[in-house]
Amino acid sequence: MTARYILAVDQGTTSTRSILFDQSARLVAVRQLEHHQHFPRPGWVEHDASEIWRNLCRLIPETLHDAGIGLDSLAGVGIANQRETTVVWDRRTGKPVHQAIVWQDTRTSAFLESLADKAQSVRDIAGLPLAPYFSASRLRWTLDHVPLAREHAENGQLLFGTMETWLIWNLTGGTKGGVHVTDVTNASRTMLMNLRTLEWDPYLLELFNIPKAMLPEIRPSMDRYGTCTGVLEGVPLVGALGDQQAALFGQTCFDAGDAKCTYGTGSFVLLNTGPEVITSSHGLIPTVAYQISGQEPVYALEGSIAVTGSLVQWLRDGLGLITTAPEIETLASSVADNGGCYVVPAFAGLFAPYWRSEARGVIAGLTSYVNKGHLARAVLEATGWQTREVIDAMNADSGLTLRTLRVDGGMTANNLLMQFIADILDATVVRPMMSETVSLGAAYAAGLVTGFWPDLASLRRNWHRAAQWTPDMDPVRREREYADWKYAVTRTFGWIREPEPD
Ligand code: ADP
């Protein structure tokens, strides 16, 4: 076989990366470019989808050049992407008609509140809570605010997609016959797909007033979408997963009961639940984990936490208490405990398990005893407590008890935090050698389709443990502090009393 590499594209919230993997799942070359974050109003977050596409066109040849290889060395390409971000473009010009509206954007909160009486039916069909986080309300916003957009969407001139759809369309030819498809994991986050039939749902399309003509075809995550043109001329495009699903796949969580948490800007716990959709009565989201072409889908339960690493950034940039993120560990280690202090980072409301958009952050339990060391510890602990709440919800929904959590992401460099998480979960926490799980998941998806890797077992053999933390905390202290955390959370509720204007 001359094709010795798989190319993974990781299109993230802050940057796009192009990464080459070899057959041992070793990272051979990587290139990365950040794109601009646009904040036109408080709570609004936008990206320029054309900038992201241009970045990718630059990154790919550079990555191949770094590795000293040509296109004929590539077995295939797979994509992992920021989920829920909404792009609408004109199929004739290839130009977006508006900036992409990012998953963090809260402009549609008031509109969604007006649909409160439909919340249960939406949850029954799509599995999702009525939150601005998902694509549907932002797609509707675009159609309502861009002149003639709805008319052009109805006659099929405008196309909708999440980021993988936009990139697949461009990579496979764009205006000259690009393929308009979405992978099922991304589709499951739009709030327009029926989670069981894996088809666009007529009730949801009507509720959000979305013309079906603009929607991509829903396809398995591992499938032959098309052959690339341009920068990847002739290379098969054969895999796509939402970034968190990609991390689950990259961590080789293939069996029901396997779970991972990715600790980055926000944190995302996913538990593989096998072929069943487990509806949550504890604020989690059932979602598609992955689907191999010709096979039934595998589902997951997800606990999404909006603010974790970004709280550390706030300590650094907002308060100036540290100058680099790793310094938080030194500062937190200067004290033995949190001094009674709890930081609940509901900066833009709370995600799982509460889903309260009207909550705002608090620092609770302040006394004159509390110093910056305690505050640093409380900031780190906030990530731990939020994980505990999500894992408790998972255990309750699934009837299983989590024994091991696989972790990845930037925050896993923090030993104090990882030990704290093991302590308060009363579970083992393990981190693999290859921490680039998102791009690895995209590579695995593409590699399975092309036969680069023969089966799931061969992927499992690539997983090697780099670090492990085992629980070591007095259970009485653990439960007392957890109760204090939960009480602090209730103090955040109801802070926003007027809906923010559209
Ligand atoms: P993303 O993929 O979401 O951009 P990363 O996985 O790169 O995130 O992780 C970056 C995040 O991790 C940042 O928010 C940063 O504050 C946090 N972080 C990085 N190193 C540490 C550390 N040693 N301790 C705590 N947080 C850290």
Side-chain angles (χ1 to χ4, degrees):
M1 176 151 88
T2 57
R4 289 168 296 134
Y5 303 98
I6 290 278
L7 183 77
V9 171
D10 175 5
Q11 201 304 294
T13 306
T14 54
S15 72
T16 304
R17 301 195 307 156
S18 146
I19 304 178
L20 271 180
F21 288 98
D22 69 11
Q23 212 142 18
S24 317
R26 273 191 304 248
L27 195 156
V28 176
V30 54
R31 284 277 181 156
Q32 175 165 5
L33 275 175
E34 294 200 352
H35 52 266
H36 292 95
Q37 307 289 319
H38 301 271
F39 304 105
R41 291 196 209 174
W44 292 29
V45 189
E46 299 179 347
H47 293 160
D48 176 354
S50 295
E51 178 190 8
I52 288 173
W53 166 237
R54 277 196 308 276
N55 284 352
L56 185 61
C57 290
R58 239 181 85 185
L59 291 167
I60 290 173
E62 288 175 358
T63 317
L64 299 180
H65 182 262
D66 289 349
I69 63 164
L71 291 173
D72 57 347
S73 295
L74 293 181
V77 55
I79 298 176
N81 60 290
Q82 56 167 320
R83 306 174 300 174
E84 300 104 6
T85 296
T86 311
V87 193
V88 178
W89 70 97
D90 189 315
R91 74 156 83 227
R92 294 178 314 185
T93 63
K95 299 262 181 299
V97 298
H98 190 272
Q99 297 278 60
I101 309 183
V102 178
W103 58 273
Q104 297 146 320
D105 190 291
T106 56
R107 77 184 66 184
T108 57
S109 298
F111 165 70
L112 289 170
E113 269 166 41
S114 74
L115 296 186
D117 59 329
K118 307 287 192 308
Q120 192 54 47
S121 52
V122 172
R123 196 184 279 272
D124 289 344
I125 300 167
L128 305 173
L130 270 182
Y133 177 31
F134 308 101
S135 314
S137 62
R138 295 196 306 275
L139 173 54
R140 183 196 157 111
W141 187 96
T142 308
L143 294 178
D144 285 347
H145 288 79
V146 174
L148 296 178
R150 187 171 298 286
E151 195 181 319
H152 289 162
E154 264 152 19
N155 67 29
Q157 186 180 325
L158 296 192
L159 302 179
F160 157 75
T162 38
M163 272 302 167
E164 91 295 2
T165 302
W166 164 247
L167 294 180
I168 293 170
W169 187 80
N170 279 291
L171 281 167
T172 55
T175 52
K176 298 189 194 74
V179 180
H180 190 219
V181 295
T182 180
D183 118 84
V184 64
T185 68
N186 277 289
S188 75
R189 319 291 297 191
T190 57
M191 205 181 260
L192 297 171
M193 188 186 85
N194 182 312
L195 195 56
R196 289 168 183 83
T197 64
L198 310 185
E199 287 170 1
W200 300 121
D201 185 82
Y203 170 83
L204 296 174
L205 295 187
E206 197 181 320
L207 185 66
F208 290 101
N209 201 6
I210 307 296
K212 194 164 182 204
M214 73 184 312
L215 299 178
E217 183 191 347
I218 301 173
R219 297 275 288 271
S221 328
M222 280 150 255
D223 200 359
R224 293 185 177 275
Y225 303 130
T227 304
C228 295
T229 62
V231 284
L232 282 174
E233 183 73 42
V235 179
L237 213 176
V238 280
L241 290 157
D243 52 11
Q244 296 308 321
Q245 281 87 344
L248 186 76
F249 207 70
Q251 284 270 24
T252 65
C253 292
F254 303 140
D255 292 332
D258 288 349
K260 72 87 201 178
C261 184
T262 301
Y263 288 100
T265 315
S267 292
F268 299 85
V269 188
L270 270 78
L271 169 75
N272 182 322
T273 60
E276 303 301 325
V277 176
I278 297 202
T279 48
S280 174
S281 20
H282 300 88
L284 303 176
I285 299 170
T287 196
V288 180
Y290 61 88
Q291 186 187 23
I292 299 175
S293 184
Q295 297 186 17
E296 291 300 308
V298 173
Y299 290 93
L301 259 184
E302 172 171 328
S304 338
I305 307 169
V307 177
T308 55
S310 54
L311 185 61
V312 176
Q313 285 166 246
W314 175 75
L315 198 74
R316 183 191 66 192
D317 307 333
L319 297 188
L321 285 183
I322 48 176
T323 51
T324 64
E327 269 177 44
I328 191 173
E329 190 164 357
T330 318
L331 188 55
S333 302
S334 67
V335 291
D337 56 30
N338 62 23
C341 176
Y342 293 82
V343 180
V344 187
F347 290 166
L350 288 166
F351 281 13
Y354 297 101
W355 297 103
R356 296 187 73 132
S357 52
E358 88 303 343
R360 286 299 177 270
V362 298
I363 302 180
L366 279 183
T367 60
S368 50
Y369 173 76
V370 170
N371 64 31
K372 59 185 177 183
H374 298 118
L375 195 59
R377 197 171 264 267
V379 160
L380 284 181
E381 289 186 359
T383 295
W385 297 125
Q386 292 185 99
T387 309
R388 166 79 191 260
E389 294 211 83
V390 164
I391 298 290
D392 277 5
M394 272 177 184
N395 288 342
D397 279 333
S398 68
L400 306 167
T401 302
L402 183 90
R403 299 257 172 251
T404 305
L405 181 66
R406 295 185 169 199
V407 298
D408 50 76
M411 293 186 94
T412 61
N414 192 310
N415 263 302
L416 185 81
L417 174 62
M418 292 301 113
Q419 182 59 49
F420 182 70
I421 291 171
D423 286 344
I424 57 158
L425 295 183
D426 200 20
T428 302
V429 171
V430 287
R431 188 180 66 208
M433 304 270 258
M434 169 48 73
S435 57
E436 299 291 345
T437 55
V438 171
S439 43
L440 186 60
Y444 280 171
L448 275 180
V449 174
T450 54
F452 189 76
W453 286 294
D455 50 23
L456 296 179
S458 66
L459 304 182
R460 276 203 186 95
R461 284 194 291 275
N462 291 332
W463 196 98
H464 303 288
R465 186 174 67 199
Q468 173 167 315
W469 297 266
T470 47
D472 177 26
M473 190 188 228
D474 167 31
V476 175
R477 175 180 163 198
R478 178 172 65 220
E479 297 313 313
R480 188 185 63 235
E481 294 189 9
Y482 186 37
D484 285 346
W485 161 266
K486 287 192 152 213
Y487 190 55
V489 171
T490 65
R491 310 286 87 181
T492 69
F493 296 164
W495 181 258
I496 299 294
R497 284 149 321 232
E498 296 283 329
E500 283 153 359
D502 190 318

